[in-house]
């Protein structure tokens, strides 16, 4: 399990799930994450920082 830090972009939102694209490894498969684990204000194209099992919105 990778505890980060990692940077992601929200590629798409599908109901209760968001699909995240790893910024430094764009050929990697999208990561499906429950939206309940993400900041509520995310949208497609939002940039996220992941570290120690926590996602935060980058400004």
């Amino acid at each position: 399990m990778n505890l980060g830090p990692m940077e992601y972009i929200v590629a798409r939102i599908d109901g209760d799930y968001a699909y995240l694209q790893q910024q430094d490894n764009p050929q990697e498969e999208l990561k499906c994450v429950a939206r309940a684990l993400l900041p509520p204000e995310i949208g497609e194209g939002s940039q996220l920082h992941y570290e120690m099992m926590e996602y935060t919105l980058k400004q």
Side-chain angles (χ1 to χ4, degrees):
M1 177 189 295
N2 188 345
L3 298 178
M6 300 188 73
E7 306 298 324
Y8 290 99
I9 294 177
V10 179
R12 86 175 190 266
I13 295 175
D14 186 8
D16 290 336
Y17 296 92
Y19 292 85
L20 308 181
Q21 179 68 58
Q22 193 175 338
Q23 285 188 340
D24 63 346
N25 197 2
Q27 68 275 13
E28 189 74 27
E29 187 173 327
L30 295 178
K31 180 177 181 177
C32 181
V33 178
R35 289 189 63 192
L37 299 174
L38 302 173
E41 62 274 11
I42 67 160
E44 291 184 2
S46 294
Q47 295 184 358
L48 297 172
H49 176 80
Y50 172 78
E51 191 166 7
M52 299 300 291
M53 299 176 59
E54 183 177 328
Y55 292 91
T56 54
L57 187 62
K58 288 180 69 176
Q59 300 299 1

